[in-house]
Amino acid sequence: MTYFPEEVVEHIFSFLPLHSDRNTVSLVCRVWYEVERLSRRAVFVGNCYAVRPERLVQRFPNVRTLTVKGKPHFADFNLVPPDWGGYAGPWIDAAARSCMGLEELRMKRMVVLDENLELLARSFPRFKALVLISCEGFSTDGLAAIASHCKLLRELDLQENDVDDHGPRWLSCFPDSCTSLVSLNFACIKGEVNPGALERLVARSPNLRSLRLNRSVSVDTLSKILVRTPNLEDLGTGNLTDESESYLRLSSALEKCKMLRSLSGFWDASPICVPFIYPLCHHLTGLNLSYTPTLDYSDLTKMISRCVKLQRLWVLDCISDKGLQVVASSCKDLQELRVFPSDFYVAGYSVVTEEGLVAISSGCPKLSSLLYFCHQMTNEALITVAKNCPNFIRFRLCILEPKKPDAITNQPLDEGFGAIVRECKGLRRLSISGLLTDKVFMDIGKYGKQLEMLSIAFAGDSDKGMMHVMNGCKNLRKLEIRDSPFSDVALLGNVAKYETMRSLWMSGCNVTLKGCQVLATKMPMLNVEIMNELDESSEMEENHGDPSRVDKLYVYRTTAGARNDAPDFVKIL
Amino acid sequence: MADVESCLKATELRLGLPGTEETTAAAAALPTPPSTPRGKKRDGNIAADEPAKKRDGETAPPAAKQATVFEVLTRVETTFVSSCRAQVVGWPPVRSYRKSCFQQQSSNAAKQSKPAPPPAEEKAPSAAATTAAAAAGALFVKVSMDGAPYLRKVDLKMYKGYRELREALEAMFLCFSGGAADAPAVNPSDFAVTYEDKDGDLMLVGDVPFE
């Protein structure tokens, strides 16, 4: 191989799709390292604090697609205090200085400021795609900058971000010369947009394939837009609350969209709108009704029973077990199902139980990805599900009440989850809930050989539980644990493991400051972050007896050393 | 989670009609329990095919079948346990974006007074609460705690959500919690917050979106 000219080596590398493969070839020799780094087009940074941005852009100056993830996953549930970190600024600054060819930036759970977006908009002449997921810190002014200055913009995809609304001006900032949009998702923008500006933008975007509107867009505006987008494949509607006449216009507009395969939105959807969607149903492969508490079980099933090609369904638990039976008998190609709770304020009751899940598993053998919030579960049901669907890659079950046992036998759910990990040999992600002893962790450690991410809440009896996982799950990358009785013994039981993982999160457990200090001393390649909140949350009340008990612990491997942007409440050992 | 375990023990499910000793025994475990028949009312979506039962929230009809009794007792158990764990941060694991969408949705729904009939009685209290709040500059309500010698008044408009309201109430009544006789070291989070709605029914706080 060393006799080949570098261009040939580079060409060979271009056939390696996985980051991990490219990382591996770069280790072979200096020549390959150089060829690889200069030809690398896409870099994925799973933890923004694992590597210094400057270091990264120096190594890969020709990168075109940069993906960076910030806060730990439990930040989604307010377990990470605000101002913890995850700032996009340093990444955009570094790229602006060294990677002029940047075309795509994808960020998840990061703090992005308007000034960062402004710098982004001005720094990269070939910039094409911005994808922000669960980010915060910016306003529509930042979006205005992107719209104004990114002349080749193809994709602006804003998923579930917390965006400050400074008015509808931003959408009008797309210049008349901007005709390149392929994907526009502004569903998370809270305020109004100018319907005229939106219509004109769509009219001059002949390549538009994906359009997700926000709540402010009326049925009338949607109808006018859809007439212009015959090639639309993915649509997120605005609100669907109008009177029935508007739906007639909508219906005829929708008929023109023969390529439409995926639907979402349905904000405040009135049941009146349901029949007008019917003509689309037969072709749909994706349907997200999980933000629509206004449609009940009967509306939902009328729609879904017609979606015979459905592969991905997100729905609220008001669909009920009966509704899930309809899904099971109609949607034979279903691969991904998410059932979200509609009641999560204080009480947490759900009409969805183990019966719905068993029905789905027997009707939809291709099911590989599940997120299921439910009122109760049984071992028998889980064992049945495991037998019916051995192809699970992601299995996330959330029984709303912590530590709830098998609803029939009152036993822990160890057997049930054990069956899942045993039968589903390709399982990569698992979230467990309900009453669970150390036994379930024995099975997870024994059978979870492909497991990459494990989420544990209110589970286990002793340190042995966590040890089973740490010692058994060879491919574990992310471990997140809350309110489980694991102590320093478990934390320190296999310290070398942490260098093979991206991160560990432990909150509400029994680790102490001393244990964390030992970990930090033994493993200098890790950042050991401790957060003890000063405000009196209920978790602190149990902490009275032991001031050295650590409330929240976040451990991650890094080449960057301790970060310098940590707030006061974060202590890095 | 000692609170949850003690609540679970106290609410062991047994057979019997509502209003009998089982529910009274369960009621004794907590200072301010919602009474059984009311527990049914909040679950507008228990069983979509039983509209008659949920409409008026009364106790199960005299010809109650076994299934109905179990259902009612399950509601009681869930209600008690739920009020015990009301303060668990970040549970259930639902993204704050999703939660904020729902809050926005219900206030939109109340504003638009949709032509479609609202599902069961869930919408009615929501609309009533919203219009009441919109009307007054401040929304003062009387708050009483079992065992406290006097009542307090809070302005509901000062709080953005149930969590804040609850924390404020706990702070207000903290001085009284040490004196409670029944259980040793009564934890303020043992208390369920209830309110009386316009029909005069005692309702558990938290079901209806805060707006």
Side-chain angles (χ1 to χ4, degrees):
Chain A
M1 275 294 264
T2 42
Y3 300 109
F4 288 161
E6 287 181 8
E7 298 82 47
V8 177
V9 177
E10 181 181 318
H11 184 66
I12 295 172
F13 288 173
S14 69
F15 290 99
L16 297 172
L18 296 178
H19 297 293
S20 50
D21 290 337
R22 289 199 69 120
N23 293 346
T24 308
V25 301
S26 68
L27 296 173
V28 168
C29 62
R30 200 100 271 268
V31 174
W32 281 29
Y33 179 88
E34 285 297 306
V35 171
E36 197 283 316
R37 78 176 188 90
L38 293 172
S39 62
R40 177 87 79 123
R41 297 282 177 257
V43 176
F44 172 80
V45 180
N47 173 4
C48 65
Y49 291 121
V51 59
R52 283 199 192 285
E54 306 80 39
R55 174 88 188 89
L56 188 118
V57 300
Q58 269 165 25
R59 180 174 168 186
F60 303 113
N62 301 317
V63 68
R64 299 213 183 126
T65 302
L66 179 60
T67 307
V68 189
K69 295 170 87 169
K71 300 184 206 173
H73 173 237
F74 274 176
D76 284 350
F77 318 130
N78 297 334
L79 287 177
V80 176
D83 301 327
W84 170 84
Y87 300 106
W91 290 90
I92 296 178
D93 289 346
R97 266 178 264 123
S98 310
C99 305
M100 301 311 298
L102 191 70
E103 294 180 9
E104 295 182 23
L105 182 64
R106 293 159 201 275
M107 295 194 141
K108 186 169 185 179
R109 276 186 221 106
M110 297 196 69
V111 177
V112 184
L113 306 177
D114 284 342
E115 62 206 54
N116 304 144
L117 293 175
E118 277 151 28
L119 182 62
L120 176 68
R122 291 176 199 279
S123 304
F124 308 105
R126 291 206 291 274
F127 196 75
K128 294 194 176 74
L130 178 63
V131 179
L132 298 176
I133 306 174
S134 296
C135 295
E136 54 172 348
F138 61 103
S139 76
T140 47
D141 291 343
L143 301 178
I146 297 285
S148 307
H149 301 291
C150 298
K151 309 255 180 288
L152 301 175
L153 196 68
R154 282 207 220 130
E155 191 178 337
L156 180 60
D157 186 2
L158 306 168
Q159 297 179 31
E160 303 195 344
N161 301 291
D162 184 11
V163 186
D164 278 339
D165 193 74
H166 290 179
R169 171 185 81 94
W170 69 276
L171 194 65
S172 309
C173 288
F174 285 100
D176 290 341
S177 54
C178 173
T179 58
S180 48
L181 275 179
V182 173
S183 169
L184 177 63
N185 173 5
F186 62 92
C188 64
I189 300 298
K190 294 173 240 206
E192 311 247 322
V193 291
N194 183 316
L198 178 59
E199 288 166 41
R200 286 190 296 279
L201 178 60
V202 171
R204 64 179 186 275
S205 305
N207 300 318
L208 204 59
R209 295 283 175 276
S210 169
L211 179 63
R212 296 191 183 187
L213 309 169
N214 78 349
R215 195 175 233 142
S216 75
V217 177
S218 68
V219 176
D220 263 350
T221 307
L222 177 59
S223 308
K224 289 185 197 146
I225 288 172
L226 288 175
V227 171
R228 308 285 202 163
T229 57
N231 296 323
L232 203 64
E233 293 167 11
D234 166 47
L235 173 66
T237 72
N239 69 71
L240 295 179
T241 55
D242 288 1
E243 304 297 325
S244 10
E245 306 94 63
S246 311
Y247 289 107
L248 293 167
R249 277 191 291 277
L250 178 65
S251 202
S252 62
L254 280 171
E255 261 175 47
K256 300 197 170 55
C257 299
K258 303 259 184 263
M259 309 292 296
L260 206 49
R261 295 289 172 269
S262 168
L263 267 189
S264 60
F266 289 91
W267 303 105
D268 308 306
S270 149
I272 300 171
C273 77
V274 170
F276 297 97
I277 309 290
Y278 289 165
L280 288 177
C281 291
H282 183 76
H283 297 293
L284 288 181
T285 56
L287 184 58
N288 183 353
L289 297 164
S290 68
Y291 287 99
T292 316
T294 43
L295 293 180
D296 67 6
Y297 141 85
S298 115
D299 300 317
L300 293 171
T301 46
K302 279 186 207 143
M303 205 191 299
I304 296 173
S305 58
R306 290 171 155 81
C307 300
V308 292
K309 296 207 186 114
L310 210 58
Q311 294 171 16
R312 187 176 48 85
L313 175 64
W314 291 22
V315 78
L316 286 173
D317 60 3
C318 36
I319 194 173
S320 79
D321 287 335
K322 277 176 81 160
L324 290 173
Q325 278 161 15
V326 173
V327 174
S329 55
S330 315
C331 309
K332 295 303 181 188
D333 285 340
L334 198 67
Q335 292 168 22
E336 178 182 328
L337 174 66
R338 296 196 190 189
V339 180
F340 291 95
S342 46
D343 173 12
F344 42 65
Y345 287 99
V346 170
Y349 179 69
S350 173
V351 282
V352 158
T353 72
E354 76 278 9
E355 290 180 14
L357 185 58
V358 169
I360 291 282
S361 73
S362 61
C364 311
K366 293 186 192 171
L367 197 64
S368 62
S369 176
L370 180 76
L371 173 60
Y372 196 79
F373 285 81
C374 60
H375 176 62
Q376 65 185 45
M377 188 48 57
T378 65
N379 283 310
E380 189 185 341
L382 285 173
I383 292 168
T384 308
V385 169
K387 288 220 178 64
N388 289 341
C389 294
N391 299 318
F392 274 118
I393 296 176
R394 283 177 288 278
F395 189 90
R396 293 151 72 190
L397 183 71
C398 180
I399 303 163
L400 289 170
E401 186 189 313
K403 295 195 179 179
K404 187 162 185 175
D406 181 312
I408 294 174
T409 67
N410 242 26
Q411 294 301 301
L413 289 169
D414 301 331
E415 253 192 277
F417 280 105
I420 294 285
V421 288
R422 208 173 36 247
E423 303 291 334
C424 304
K425 310 228 183 321
L427 195 67
R428 295 211 295 258
R429 182 168 178 185
L430 178 66
S431 299
I432 55 180
S433 60
L435 184 64
L436 294 161
T437 71
D438 286 345
K439 192 164 174 307
V440 73
F441 296 113
M442 233 164 63
D443 282 336
I444 292 175
K446 186 169 172 193
Y447 297 106
K449 294 309 178 190
Q450 301 301 318
L451 202 61
E452 294 175 4
M453 183 169 177
L454 178 62
S455 307
I456 300 169
F458 307 102
D461 303 318
S462 76
D463 290 315
K464 291 210 188 79
M466 185 170 159
M467 291 309 309
H468 287 310
V469 172
M470 292 288 284
N471 294 337
C473 298
K474 297 287 168 232
N475 282 303
L476 195 64
R477 290 197 287 119
K478 286 179 279 183
L479 180 59
E480 48 184 26
I481 305 172
R482 65 166 293 175
D483 297 284
S484 300
F486 306 133
S487 72
D488 296 336
V489 171
L491 180 68
L492 300 171
N494 184 354
V495 293
K497 176 87 174 158
Y498 297 121
E499 261 186 6
T500 69
M501 291 166 56
R502 184 187 298 173
S503 65
L504 165 74
W505 169 278
M506 290 178 79
S507 60
C509 300
N510 297 335
V511 294
T512 69
L513 183 58
K514 193 139 190 296
C516 296
Q517 279 164 338
V518 170
L519 178 62
T521 314
K522 281 192 180 179
M523 304 290 293
M525 294 290 283
L526 305 178
N527 275 358
V528 179
E529 294 197 8
I530 290 179
M531 291 162 261
N532 278 348
E533 287 189 61
L534 298 175
D535 64 349
E536 298 305 300
S537 68
S538 61
E539 285 157 311
M540 289 298 282
E541 288 175 31
E542 288 153 49
N543 200 3
H544 283 323
D546 184 2
S548 74
R549 185 171 153 282
V550 164
D551 198 34
K552 295 176 188 186
L553 169 67
Y554 185 48
V555 178
Y556 53 90
R557 67 180 176 191
T558 179
T559 59
R563 60 188 176 105
N564 55 12
D565 61 3
D568 292 335
F569 59 80
V570 173
K571 206 168 152 193
I572 305 180
L573 302 176
Chain B
M1 295 303 293
D3 289 347
V4 175
E5 279 154 17
S6 61
C7 291
L8 283 172
K9 284 194 197 113
T11 58
E12 190 187 10
L13 195 60
R14 292 195 292 278
L15 194 54
L17 285 174
T20 56
E21 55 185 63
E22 286 85 2
T23 47
T24 326
L30 290 177
T32 55
S35 51
T36 316
R38 311 308 174 192
K40 259 172 77 73
K41 188 170 182 174
R42 39 179 284 271
D43 286 312
N45 53 1
I46 296 176
D49 53 352
E50 291 182 355
K53 283 211 187 78
K54 61 185 184 181
R55 193 154 321 263
D56 35 17
E58 61 185 17
T59 44
K65 291 168 274 188
Q66 305 280 43
T68 314
V69 168
F70 265 115
E71 185 187 42
V72 169
L73 287 176
T74 312
R75 295 300 82 73
V76 170
E77 177 194 70
T78 310
T79 310
F80 289 150
V81 172
S82 303
S83 54
C84 290
R85 65 168 179 86
Q87 286 293 27
V88 177
V89 176
W91 193 266
V94 171
R95 278 190 183 165
S96 22
Y97 171 80
R98 177 169 288 279
K99 288 186 187 173
S100 68
C101 281
F102 277 64
Q103 282 165 3
Q104 211 181 334
Q105 286 216 338
S106 46
S107 57
N108 282 351
K111 275 183 218 145
Q112 282 164 12
S113 55
K114 293 167 2 186
E121 66 280 346
E122 269 184 87
K123 281 273 181 283
S126 162
T130 315
T131 41
L139 192 60
F140 278 100
V141 293
K142 256 193 274 185
V143 183
S144 69
M145 186 178 101
D146 275 9
Y150 49 82
L151 280 62
R152 302 293 302 266
K153 270 213 163 175
V154 289
D155 177 5
L156 287 182
K157 291 214 149 189
M158 294 285 297
Y159 306 105
K160 285 194 292 265
Y162 283 118
R163 201 163 134 72
E164 278 184 55
L165 174 63
R166 201 194 164 93
E167 281 162 3
L169 291 177
E170 282 180 13
M172 261 189 211
F173 288 105
L174 201 56
C175 42
F176 303 125
S177 62
D182 292 342
V186 169
N187 195 323
S189 63
D190 281 347
F191 286 73
V193 184
T194 57
Y195 68 95
E196 195 175 282
D197 74 1
K198 62 179 172 62
D199 299 327
D201 297 320
L202 196 64
M203 309 281 289
L204 182 70
V205 154
D207 300 311
V208 170
F210 194 73
E211 284 79 11

